[in-house]
Structures are given as C-alpha cells and as structure tokens.
Coordinates of all heavy atoms in Angstrom, one line a residue:
M1 N 18.3 11.8 15.6 CA 17.9 12.5 14.4 C 16.4 12.8 14.5 O 15.6 11.9 14.7 CB 18.2 11.6 13.2 CG 17.7 12.3 11.9 SD 18.2 11.3 10.5 CE 16.7 10.5 10.1
E2 N 16.1 14.1 14.4 CA 14.7 14.4 14.5 C 14.2 15.0 13.2 O 14.8 15.9 12.6 CB 14.5 15.5 15.6 CG 13.0 15.9 15.8 CD 12.8 16.8 16.9 OE1 13.5 16.7 17.9 OE2 11.8 17.6 16.9
V3 N 13.2 14.3 12.6 CA 12.7 14.7 11.3 C 11.2 15.1 11.5 O 10.4 14.4 12.1 CB 12.8 13.5 10.3 CG1 12.1 13.9 9.0 CG2 14.2 13.1 10.2
K4 N 10.8 16.3 11.1 CA 9.5 16.7 11.1 C 8.7 16.0 10.0 O 9.2 15.9 8.9 CB 9.3 18.2 11.0 CG 10.0 18.9 12.1 CD 9.4 18.7 13.4 CE 10.1 19.5 14.5 NZ 9.6 19.3 15.8
M5 N 7.5 15.6 10.3 CA 6.7 14.9 9.3 C 5.5 15.7 8.9 O 4.3 15.3 8.8 CB 6.2 13.6 9.9 CG 7.3 12.6 10.3 SD 8.4 12.1 9.0 CE 7.3 11.2 8.0
A6 N 5.7 17.0 8.4 CA 4.7 17.9 8.1 C 3.9 17.3 6.9 O 2.6 17.4 6.8 CB 5.2 19.2 7.8
A7 N 4.6 16.8 5.9 CA 3.9 16.3 4.7 C 2.9 15.1 5.1 O 1.7 15.1 4.6 CB 4.8 15.8 3.6
M8 N 3.4 14.2 5.9 CA 2.5 13.1 6.3 C 1.3 13.7 7.2 O 0.2 13.2 7.0 CB 3.3 12.1 7.2 CG 2.4 10.9 7.5 SD 3.3 9.5 8.2 CE 3.3 10.0 9.9
G9 N 1.6 14.6 8.0 CA 0.5 15.1 8.8 C -0.6 15.8 8.0 O -1.8 15.6 8.2
A10 N -0.2 16.5 7.0 CA -1.1 17.2 6.1 C -1.9 16.2 5.3 O -3.2 16.3 5.1 CB -0.4 18.1 5.1
R11 N -1.3 15.1 4.9 CA -2.0 14.1 4.1 C -2.9 13.3 5.0 O -4.0 13.0 4.6 CB -1.0 13.2 3.4 CG -0.3 14.0 2.2 CD 0.4 13.2 1.3 NE 0.7 14.0 0.1 CZ 1.6 13.7 -0.8 NH1 2.2 12.6 -0.7 NH2 1.9 14.5 -1.8
L12 N -2.5 13.0 6.2 CA -3.4 12.3 7.1 C -4.7 13.1 7.4 O -5.8 12.6 7.4 CB -2.7 12.0 8.4 CG -1.7 10.8 8.4 CD1 -0.9 10.8 9.7 CD2 -2.4 9.5 8.1
K13 N -4.5 14.4 7.6 CA -5.6 15.3 7.9 C -6.6 15.3 6.7 O -7.8 15.2 6.9 CB -5.1 16.7 8.2 CG -6.2 17.7 8.5 CD -5.6 19.1 8.9 CE -6.7 20.0 9.3 NZ -6.1 21.3 9.7
E14 N -6.1 15.4 5.5 CA -6.9 15.4 4.3 C -7.6 14.1 4.2 O -8.9 14.1 3.9 CB -6.0 15.6 3.1 CG -6.7 15.6 1.8 CD -5.8 15.7 0.6 OE1 -4.8 16.5 0.7 OE2 -6.0 15.0 -0.4
L15 N -6.9 13.0 4.3 CA -7.6 11.6 4.2 C -8.6 11.4 5.3 O -9.7 10.9 5.1 CB -6.5 10.6 4.3 CG -5.6 10.5 3.1 CD1 -4.3 9.7 3.4 CD2 -6.3 10.0 1.9
R16 N -8.3 11.9 6.5 CA -9.3 11.8 7.7 C -10.5 12.5 7.4 O -11.6 12.0 7.6 CB -8.6 12.2 8.9 CG -9.6 12.3 10.1 CD -8.9 12.8 11.4 NE -8.4 14.1 11.3 CZ -9.1 15.3 11.3 NH1 -10.4 15.2 11.4 NH2 -8.5 16.4 11.2
K17 N -10.4 13.7 6.9 CA -11.6 14.6 6.5 C -12.4 14.0 5.4 O -13.6 14.1 5.4 CB -11.1 16.0 6.2 CG -10.7 16.7 7.5 CD -10.4 18.2 7.2 CE -10.2 18.9 8.5 NZ -10.1 20.4 8.2
E18 N -11.7 13.3 4.4 CA -12.5 12.7 3.3 C -13.3 11.6 3.9 O -14.4 11.3 3.3 CB -11.5 12.1 2.3 CG -10.9 13.1 1.4 CD -9.8 12.6 0.5 OE1 -9.7 11.3 0.4 OE2 -9.1 13.4 -0.2
K19 N -12.9 10.9 5.0 CA -13.7 9.8 5.6 C -14.7 10.4 6.6 O -15.4 9.6 7.3 CB -12.8 8.8 6.2 CG -12.1 7.9 5.3 CD -11.6 6.7 6.0 CE -11.1 5.6 5.1 NZ -11.9 4.4 5.0
K20 N -14.7 11.7 6.8 CA -15.5 12.4 7.8 C -15.3 11.8 9.2 O -16.2 11.6 9.9 CB -17.0 12.2 7.3 CG -17.3 12.9 6.0 CD -18.8 12.8 5.6 CE -19.1 13.5 4.4 NZ -18.2 13.8 3.4
M21 N -14.0 11.7 9.5 CA -13.6 11.2 10.8 C -13.1 12.4 11.6 O -12.5 13.3 11.1 CB -12.5 10.2 10.7 CG -12.8 8.9 10.0 SD -13.7 7.7 11.0 CE -12.5 7.3 12.2
T22 N -13.3 12.3 12.9 CA -12.7 13.3 13.8 C -11.4 12.9 14.3 O -11.0 11.7 14.2 CB -13.6 13.6 15.0 OG1 -13.7 12.3 15.8 CG2 -15.0 14.0 14.6
Q23 N -10.6 13.8 14.8 CA -9.3 13.4 15.4 C -9.5 12.5 16.6 O -8.8 11.5 16.8 CB -8.5 14.7 15.8 CG -8.0 15.5 14.7 CD -7.3 16.7 15.1 OE1 -7.5 17.3 16.2 NE2 -6.3 17.1 14.3
K24 N -10.6 12.7 17.3 CA -10.9 11.9 18.5 C -11.2 10.4 18.0 O -10.7 9.5 18.7 CB -12.1 12.5 19.2 CG -12.4 11.7 20.5 CD -13.5 12.4 21.3 CE -13.8 11.7 22.6 NZ -14.7 12.5 23.5
A25 N -11.9 10.3 17.0 CA -12.3 9.0 16.4 C -11.0 8.2 16.0 O -10.8 7.1 16.2 CB -13.3 9.1 15.3
M26 N -10.1 9.0 15.3 CA -8.9 8.4 14.8 C -8.0 8.0 16.0 O -7.4 6.9 16.0 CB -8.1 9.4 13.9 CG -8.7 9.5 12.5 SD -8.7 8.0 11.5 CE -7.0 7.5 11.5
A27 N -7.9 8.8 17.0 CA -7.2 8.5 18.2 C -7.7 7.2 18.8 O -7.0 6.3 19.3 CB -7.2 9.6 19.2
G28 N -9.0 7.1 18.9 CA -9.7 5.9 19.4 C -9.3 4.6 18.7 O -9.0 3.6 19.2
L29 N -9.3 4.7 17.3 CA -8.9 3.5 16.5 C -7.5 3.1 16.8 O -7.1 1.9 16.7 CB -9.0 3.9 15.0 CG -10.3 3.9 14.4 CD1 -10.2 4.4 12.9 CD2 -10.9 2.5 14.4
L30 N -6.6 4.1 17.1 CA -5.2 3.8 17.3 C -4.9 3.6 18.8 O -3.7 3.4 19.1 CB -4.4 5.0 16.8 CG -4.4 5.1 15.3 CD1 -4.1 6.5 14.8 CD2 -3.5 4.1 14.6
D31 N -5.9 3.7 19.6 CA -5.7 3.5 21.1 C -4.6 4.5 21.6 O -3.7 4.1 22.3 CB -5.3 2.0 21.4 CG -5.5 1.7 22.9 OD1 -6.3 2.4 23.6 OD2 -4.7 0.9 23.4
M32 N -4.8 5.8 21.3 CA -3.9 6.8 21.8 C -4.8 8.0 22.2 O -6.0 8.1 21.9 CB -2.9 7.2 20.7 CG -3.5 7.8 19.4 SD -2.2 8.3 18.2 CE -1.4 6.9 17.8
T33 N -4.1 8.9 22.8 CA -4.9 10.1 23.2 C -5.2 11.0 22.0 O -4.4 10.9 21.0 CB -4.1 11.0 24.3 OG1 -2.9 11.5 23.7 CG2 -3.8 10.1 25.5
E34 N -6.2 11.8 22.1 CA -6.5 12.7 21.0 C -5.3 13.7 20.8 O -5.0 14.0 19.7 CB -7.8 13.5 21.3 CG -8.3 14.4 20.2 CD -9.6 15.1 20.5 OE1 -10.2 14.8 21.6 OE2 -10.0 15.9 19.7
R35 N -4.7 14.1 21.9 CA -3.6 15.1 21.8 C -2.4 14.4 21.0 O -1.8 15.1 20.2 CB -3.2 15.5 23.2 CG -2.1 16.4 23.2 CD -2.5 17.8 22.6 NE -1.3 18.6 22.3 CZ -1.0 19.0 21.0 NH1 -1.8 18.8 20.0 NH2 0.1 19.6 20.8
H36 N -2.2 13.2 21.3 CA -1.1 12.5 20.5 C -1.4 12.4 19.1 O -0.5 12.7 18.2 CB -0.8 11.1 21.1 CG 0.4 10.5 20.6 ND1 1.7 10.8 20.9 CD2 0.5 9.5 19.6 CE1 2.5 10.1 20.2 NE2 1.8 9.3 19.4
Y37 N -2.6 12.1 18.7 CA -3.0 12.1 17.3 C -2.9 13.4 16.7 O -2.4 13.6 15.6 CB -4.4 11.5 17.1 CG -4.7 11.4 15.6 CD1 -4.2 10.4 14.8 CD2 -5.5 12.4 15.0 CE1 -4.4 10.4 13.5 CE2 -5.7 12.4 13.6 CZ -5.1 11.4 12.9 OH -5.3 11.4 11.5
Q38 N -3.3 14.5 17.4 CA -3.2 15.9 16.9 C -1.7 16.2 16.6 O -1.4 16.8 15.6 CB -3.8 16.8 17.9 CG -5.3 16.8 18.0 CD -5.8 17.6 19.2 OE1 -5.0 17.9 20.2 NE2 -7.1 17.9 19.2
A39 N -0.8 15.7 17.5 CA 0.6 16.0 17.3 C 1.1 15.2 16.0 O 2.0 15.8 15.3 CB 1.4 15.5 18.5
I40 N 0.5 14.1 15.7 CA 0.9 13.4 14.5 C 0.5 14.2 13.3 O 1.3 14.4 12.3 CB 0.3 12.0 14.4 CG1 0.9 11.1 15.5 CG2 0.4 11.4 13.0 CD1 0.2 9.7 15.6
E41 N -0.7 14.7 13.3 CA -1.2 15.5 12.2 C -0.4 16.8 12.1 O -0.3 17.4 11.0 CB -2.7 15.8 12.3 CG -3.6 14.7 11.8 CD -5.0 15.1 11.6 OE1 -5.4 16.3 11.7 OE2 -5.8 14.2 11.3
A42 N 0.0 17.3 13.2 CA 0.8 18.6 13.2 C 2.3 18.3 12.7 O 3.0 19.3 12.4 CB 0.9 19.2 14.6
G43 N 2.6 17.1 12.5 CA 3.9 16.7 12.0 C 5.0 16.8 13.1 O 6.2 16.8 12.7
S44 N 4.7 16.8 14.3 CA 5.7 16.9 15.4 C 6.0 15.6 16.0 O 6.8 15.5 17.0 CB 5.2 17.9 16.4 OG 4.0 17.6 17.0
V45 N 5.4 14.5 15.6 CA 5.6 13.2 16.1 C 6.0 12.2 15.0 O 5.3 12.2 14.0 CB 4.4 12.6 16.9 CG1 4.6 11.2 17.3 CG2 4.1 13.5 18.1
N46 N 7.1 11.5 15.1 CA 7.4 10.5 14.2 C 6.7 9.2 14.6 O 6.8 8.8 15.7 CB 8.9 10.2 14.2 CG 9.7 11.4 13.6 OD1 9.2 12.0 12.6 ND2 10.8 11.7 14.1
V47 N 6.0 8.6 13.7 CA 5.2 7.4 14.0 C 6.0 6.1 13.7 O 6.8 6.0 12.8 CB 3.9 7.4 13.2 CG1 3.1 8.6 13.4 CG2 4.1 7.3 11.7
P48 N 5.7 5.1 14.6 CA 6.3 3.8 14.4 C 5.9 3.2 13.0 O 4.8 3.5 12.5 CB 5.8 3.0 15.5 CG 5.3 3.9 16.5 CD 4.9 5.1 15.7
S49 N 6.6 2.3 12.5 CA 6.3 1.7 11.2 C 5.0 0.9 11.3 O 4.3 1.0 10.2 CB 7.4 0.7 10.8 OG 7.6 -0.3 11.8
L50 N 4.6 0.3 12.4 CA 3.3 -0.3 12.4 C 2.2 0.6 12.3 O 1.1 0.3 11.7 CB 3.2 -1.2 13.7 CG 4.1 -2.4 13.7 CD1 4.0 -3.1 15.1 CD2 3.7 -3.4 12.6
T51 N 2.3 1.8 12.9 CA 1.3 2.9 12.8 C 1.2 3.4 11.3 O 0.1 3.6 10.8 CB 1.6 4.0 13.8 OG1 1.7 3.5 15.1 CG2 0.5 5.0 13.8
L52 N 2.4 3.6 10.7 CA 2.4 4.0 9.3 C 1.7 2.9 8.4 O 0.9 3.3 7.6 CB 3.8 4.1 8.8 CG 4.0 4.5 7.4 CD1 3.4 5.8 7.0 CD2 5.5 4.5 7.0
K53 N 1.9 1.7 8.7 CA 1.2 0.6 8.0 C -0.3 0.6 8.2 O -1.1 0.5 7.3 CB 1.8 -0.8 8.4 CG 1.2 -1.9 7.6 CD 1.7 -3.3 8.1 CE 1.1 -4.5 7.4 NZ -0.3 -4.5 7.1
F54 N -0.7 0.9 9.5 CA -2.1 1.0 9.8 C -2.7 2.1 8.9 O -3.8 2.0 8.3 CB -2.3 1.3 11.2 CG -3.8 1.6 11.6 CD1 -4.7 0.6 11.7 CD2 -4.2 2.9 11.6 CE1 -6.1 1.0 12.0 CE2 -5.5 3.3 11.9 CZ -6.4 2.3 12.0
F55 N -2.1 3.3 8.9 CA -2.6 4.4 8.2 C -2.7 4.1 6.7 O -3.8 4.4 6.0 CB -1.7 5.7 8.3 CG -1.8 6.4 9.7 CD1 -0.7 6.8 10.3 CD2 -3.0 6.6 10.3 CE1 -0.7 7.5 11.5 CE2 -3.1 7.2 11.5 CZ -2.0 7.7 12.1
A56 N -1.7 3.5 6.1 CA -1.7 3.2 4.7 C -2.8 2.2 4.4 O -3.6 2.3 3.4 CB -0.3 2.6 4.3
D57 N -3.0 1.2 5.2 CA -4.1 0.2 5.0 C -5.4 0.8 5.2 O -6.3 0.6 4.4 CB -3.9 -1.0 6.0 CG -2.7 -1.9 5.6 OD1 -2.1 -1.7 4.5 OD2 -2.3 -2.7 6.5
Y58 N -5.6 1.6 6.3 CA -6.9 2.2 6.6 C -7.4 3.1 5.5 O -8.6 3.1 5.2 CB -6.8 2.9 8.0 CG -8.1 3.4 8.4 CD1 -9.1 2.6 9.0 CD2 -8.4 4.8 8.3 CE1 -10.3 3.1 9.4 CE2 -9.7 5.3 8.7 CZ -10.6 4.4 9.2 OH -11.8 4.9 9.6
F59 N -6.5 3.9 5.0 CA -6.8 4.9 4.0 C -6.6 4.4 2.6 O -6.9 5.1 1.6 CB -6.1 6.2 4.2 CG -6.4 6.9 5.5 CD1 -5.5 7.1 6.5 CD2 -7.7 7.5 5.6 CE1 -5.9 7.8 7.6 CE2 -8.1 8.1 6.8 CZ -7.1 8.3 7.8
D60 N -6.1 3.2 2.5 CA -5.9 2.5 1.2 C -5.0 3.4 0.3 O -5.3 3.6 -0.9 CB -7.2 2.2 0.5 CG -7.0 1.2 -0.7 OD1 -6.1 0.4 -0.6 OD2 -7.8 1.3 -1.6
V61 N -3.9 3.8 0.8 CA -2.9 4.6 0.1 C -1.5 3.9 0.3 O -1.4 3.1 1.3 CB -2.9 6.1 0.5 CG1 -4.2 6.7 0.1 CG2 -2.6 6.2 2.0
S62 N -0.5 4.3 -0.4 CA 0.8 3.8 -0.2 C 1.5 4.5 0.9 O 1.2 5.7 1.2 CB 1.6 3.9 -1.5 OG 2.0 5.2 -1.7
A63 N 2.4 3.8 1.6 CA 3.2 4.5 2.6 C 4.0 5.6 2.0 O 4.2 6.6 2.7 CB 4.1 3.4 3.3
D64 N 4.5 5.4 0.8 CA 5.3 6.5 0.2 C 4.5 7.7 0.0 O 5.0 8.8 0.1 CB 5.9 6.0 -1.2 CG 7.1 5.2 -1.0 OD1 7.8 5.2 0.0 OD2 7.5 4.4 -2.0
Y65 N 3.2 7.6 -0.3 CA 2.3 8.7 -0.5 C 2.2 9.4 0.9 O 2.3 10.7 1.0 CB 0.9 8.3 -0.9 CG -0.1 9.4 -1.0 CD1 0.0 10.4 -2.0 CD2 -1.1 9.5 0.0 CE1 -0.9 11.4 -2.0 CE2 -2.0 10.6 0.0 CZ -1.9 11.5 -1.0 OH -2.8 12.6 -1.1
L66 N 2.0 8.7 2.0 CA 1.9 9.3 3.3 C 3.1 10.0 3.7 O 3.1 11.1 4.3 CB 1.5 8.2 4.3 CG 0.1 7.7 4.3 CD1 0.0 6.5 5.3 CD2 -0.9 8.7 4.5
L67 N 4.3 9.5 3.3 CA 5.6 10.0 3.7 C 6.0 11.2 2.8 O 7.0 11.9 3.0 CB 6.7 9.0 3.6 CG 6.5 7.9 4.7 CD1 7.5 6.8 4.4 CD2 6.8 8.4 6.1
G68 N 5.2 11.5 1.7 CA 5.5 12.6 0.9 C 6.5 12.3 -0.2 O 7.1 13.2 -0.8
R69 N 6.8 11.0 -0.4 CA 7.8 10.6 -1.4 C 7.2 10.5 -2.8 O 8.0 10.4 -3.7 CB 8.4 9.2 -1.0 CG 9.2 9.3 0.3 CD 9.6 8.0 0.9 NE 10.2 7.1 -0.1 CZ 11.5 6.9 -0.1 NH1 12.3 7.3 0.8 NH2 12.0 6.1 -1.0
T70 N 5.9 10.5 -2.9 CA 5.2 10.5 -4.2 C 3.9 11.2 -4.0 O 3.4 11.3 -2.9 CB 5.0 9.0 -4.7 OG1 4.4 9.1 -6.0 CG2 4.1 8.2 -3.8
D71 N 3.4 11.7 -5.1 CA 2.1 12.3 -5.1 C 1.0 11.4 -5.6 O -0.2 11.7 -5.6 CB 2.1 13.6 -6.0 CG 2.9 14.7 -5.4 OD1 3.0 14.8 -4.1 OD2 3.5 15.5 -6.1
N72 N 1.4 10.2 -5.9 CA 0.5 9.1 -6.3 C 0.0 8.3 -5.1 O 0.8 7.6 -4.6 CB 1.1 8.2 -7.4 CG 0.2 7.2 -8.0 OD1 -1.0 7.1 -7.5 ND2 0.6 6.5 -9.0
P73 N -1.2 8.4 -4.7 CA -1.7 7.7 -3.5 C -1.9 6.2 -3.8 O -2.1 5.4 -2.8 CB -3.0 8.4 -3.2 CG -3.5 8.9 -4.5 CD -2.3 9.3 -5.3
E74 N -1.9 5.7 -5.0 CA -2.2 4.3 -5.3 C -1.2 3.4 -4.6 O 0.0 3.6 -4.6 CB -2.2 4.0 -6.8 CG -3.3 4.7 -7.5 CD -3.3 4.5 -9.0 OE1 -2.8 3.4 -9.4 OE2 -3.8 5.3 -9.8
V75 N -1.7 2.3 -4.1 CA -0.9 1.3 -3.4 C 0.1 0.6 -4.3 O 1.3 0.5 -4.1 CB -1.8 0.3 -2.6 CG1 -0.9 -0.8 -2.0 CG2 -2.6 1.0 -1.6
N76 N -0.4 0.1 -5.5 CA 0.4 -0.5 -6.5 C 0.2 0.1 -7.8 O -0.6 -0.4 -8.6 CB 0.1 -2.0 -6.5 CG 0.5 -2.8 -5.3 OD1 1.7 -2.6 -4.8 ND2 -0.3 -3.6 -4.7
P77 N 0.8 1.2 -8.1 CA 0.5 1.9 -9.4 C 1.0 1.1 -10.6 O 1.8 0.3 -10.6 CB 1.3 3.2 -9.2 CG 2.3 3.0 -8.2 CD 1.8 1.9 -7.3

C-alpha cells in the first residue's frame, strides 16, 4: 500500500521555515541525505514512526497534526 504524505510534507515545510531551518540542516539532524529529506517534504516518502515522533517532539506539535488528521497543532488540546 502506497500512501502519499502531501499534507505532512507541507506541514513539515511550514514548521521548518518557522524555525528558520534549511532542508540541509533538518537532514543533518535526522542523519539522512538532504535529498531524502526533500522527498519527505514533497510527500513522496512514508516516514517510520520513530521519525514521525521526532518531528512531533522537535516542532512541539501532535503527530495527528503532522499527518493531517487535525488542524490543531497542540500536543494535548
């Protein structure tokens, strides 16, 4: 089953820019290539649950927000 993660990619891009981070810097934090991180933001890569958890913790938002299941970014609303 292949699911595109366009909503998550768009939200990650927005959150990354709010922190004034580059894609290269984010890739470095995640120990991956810049190209792989770009693919995540493009929504063409499904991320492992531990990576999703990292994003949620790093940006202080809920995983449901990143996944596009809610528009409320709060961790515990």
Side-chain angles (χ1 to χ4, degrees):
M1 177 172 104
E2 184 172 329
V3 177
K4 300 292 183 184
M5 299 300 294
M8 186 170 84
R11 290 195 170 164
L12 285 173
K13 183 176 183 178
E14 178 184 322
L15 291 164
R16 174 182 57 79
K17 287 185 171 191
E18 285 176 10
K19 282 196 175 250
K20 298 180 178 21
M21 296 280 293
T22 63
Q23 289 179 331
K24 185 175 185 171
M26 286 300 300
L29 281 176
L30 293 159
D31 195 28
M32 64 178 58
T33 66
E34 183 177 358
R35 181 67 199 121
H36 187 78
Y37 182 78
Q38 289 169 343
I40 291 172
E41 279 194 7
S44 60
V45 172
N46 292 322
V47 300
S49 58
L50 290 175
T51 304
L52 176 63
K53 183 182 180 318
F54 170 84
F55 286 139
D57 291 345
Y58 184 77
F59 292 117
D60 196 28
V61 296
S62 71
D64 280 343
Y65 175 75
L66 289 174
L67 293 170
R69 295 170 51 106
T70 181
D71 289 330
N72 184 353
E74 293 181 28
V75 175
N76 292 312

